[in-house]
Amino acid sequence: MTINCNGKLIDLTSPKVMGILNVTPNSFYDGGKHTEEKVTLKQVEKMLSEGATFIDVGGYSSKPNAEEVSEEQELQRILPVVQNIIKEFPNTVISIDTFRSKVAQAAVENGAAIINDISAGNLDANMMKTVAQLQVPYIMMHMKGTPQTMQSLALYENIIKEMLFYFSEKIAQARSFGINDLILDPGFGFAKTVEQNFEVLSKLELFQITELPILAGLSRKSMIYKTLDTTAEFALNGTTSLNTISLLKGAKILRVHDVKEAAECVQLYTQLQK
């Protein structure tokens, strides 16, 4: 279970942590915090020192009903950040959180190594072709509609069955383009109610049938803070609990705001497996 990131082979047999770097002014938890160069680099340094294998840079907030961001704006937000990270910390494996092929292309040309697409190619017909040409790992997430419409589309007869069908189609499509390294993200919080999110988590091990690494993005999401009747700010303990559960159910990458705590989850989980 290795992925090739710019010639660097990363083994996902032991789980890894992906630190979230939102360079958006309106992200649901850390919006506006990392828009200045110094602050951004300090945060990257912190996440790397705490055990992040990947840094996921995003310039388009995909929270429910998030405002539309133009392609130019997204590029203006992320390219300088990617360039600065590569300059300061040249060995960093950068993932780019985008559903636009032009943004993906430009980011990889500037040093990014992974494309993380919330739409799995649904929002840009050129995405898979572009990823195949760039020969980078591709994270495909399950979502319906767009961030603007997804909340109204949380209707399923059998959510696990429908998601597995979705992924089987996406995997076949990605393979037909020639994408080698694929990672699946069940998309917690995307076109799913709180109850549906917990159903997906409770059956997460079923996605191992695809024989692909699974990324769990649970960090400080509403399924946690709504259940605990709190806010994203106070959802770290809940995040740690659900991260642990996702590891036990086969997740190989934890995508998080809080790297240290997630890395500790992985360390304890690894000890348990021994």
Side-chain angles (χ1 to χ4, degrees):
M1 217 178 239
T2 39
I3 56 169
N4 186 341
C5 303
N6 282 345
K8 191 176 181 179
L9 291 179
I10 295 172
D11 185 4
L12 297 177
T13 325
S14 59
K16 302 291 185 275
V17 176
M18 174 180 277
I20 299 169
L21 187 73
N22 283 319
V23 287
T24 54
N26 60 337
S27 181
F28 82 95
Y29 166 64
D30 53 3
K33 278 189 193 170
H34 307 129
T35 46
E36 284 177 31
E37 188 184 327
K38 267 188 192 154
V39 182
T40 305
L41 289 173
K42 212 174 167 108
Q43 179 64 6
V44 170
E45 186 176 29
K46 179 175 186 276
M47 293 196 288
L48 292 172
S49 70
E50 288 176 349
T53 299
F54 311 104
I55 302 292
D56 192 45
V57 179
Y60 184 119
S61 173
S62 53
K63 67 179 182 182
N65 306 314
E67 64 195 51
E68 182 64 41
V69 175
S70 74
E71 203 167 85
E72 286 63 43
Q73 214 176 346
E74 192 182 349
L75 283 164
Q76 278 165 13
R77 283 176 183 176
I78 65 159
L79 287 186
V81 173
V82 172
Q83 290 160 351
N84 287 332
I85 295 172
I86 294 295
K87 200 168 81 186
E88 276 303 304
F89 314 105
N91 295 325
T92 309
V93 180
I94 299 174
S95 153
I96 293 294
D97 182 358
T98 187
F99 52 80
R100 292 173 166 145
S101 57
K102 276 186 185 164
V103 175
Q105 173 104 33
V108 171
E109 284 168 358
N110 280 274
I114 299 174
I115 298 304
N116 179 10
D117 178 2
I118 58 167
S119 82
N122 282 344
L123 296 177
D124 184 338
N126 289 318
M127 183 56 112
M128 285 200 188
K129 190 173 131 197
T130 303
V131 173
Q133 285 165 350
L134 295 167
Q135 277 302 305
V136 291
Y138 187 43
I139 301 168
M140 304 190 292
M141 194 184 82
H142 173 270
M143 174 176 76
K144 285 188 189 178
T146 67
Q148 289 75 22
T149 63
M150 64 186 178
Q151 293 312 91
S152 63
L153 300 171
L155 305 162
Y156 305 88
E157 270 180 39
N158 180 328
I159 190 167
I160 303 296
K161 220 177 182 169
E162 288 177 47
M163 285 175 69
L164 283 169
F165 180 70
Y166 170 95
F167 279 130
S168 68
E169 284 199 313
K170 289 288 170 197
I171 293 163
Q173 196 185 352
R175 295 287 188 227
S176 75
F177 278 105
I179 301 174
N180 295 321
D181 296 335
L182 294 172
I183 295 158
L184 303 187
D185 176 354
F188 291 106
F190 288 82
K192 296 168 191 73
T193 63
V194 169
E195 293 72 26
Q196 287 164 346
N197 283 314
F198 276 98
E199 186 181 346
V200 172
L201 180 60
S202 76
K203 295 173 181 165
L204 195 65
E205 69 277 8
L206 298 177
F207 292 90
Q208 292 186 48
I209 193 171
T210 62
E211 297 184 343
L212 292 174
I214 295 156
L215 177 149
L218 292 152
S219 188
R220 298 180 180 266
K221 284 196 172 163
S222 64
M223 65 183 283
I224 298 169
Y225 64 77
K226 282 179 179 168
T227 302
L228 299 175
D229 194 20
T230 181
T231 60
E233 194 187 341
F234 298 106
L236 176 55
N237 188 44
T239 298
T240 298
S241 301
L242 297 196
N243 276 339
T244 304
I245 292 166
S246 71
L247 289 170
L248 290 167
K249 289 183 169 287
K252 295 299 181 191
I253 300 174
L254 299 178
R255 182 181 180 275
V256 296
H257 298 91
D258 310 274
V259 169
K260 179 174 174 281
E261 290 79 359
E264 287 176 353
C265 281
V266 170
Q267 208 177 335
L268 294 168
Y269 162 80
T270 306
Q271 186 63 34
L272 183 68
Q273 298 309 303
K274 287 177 184 170

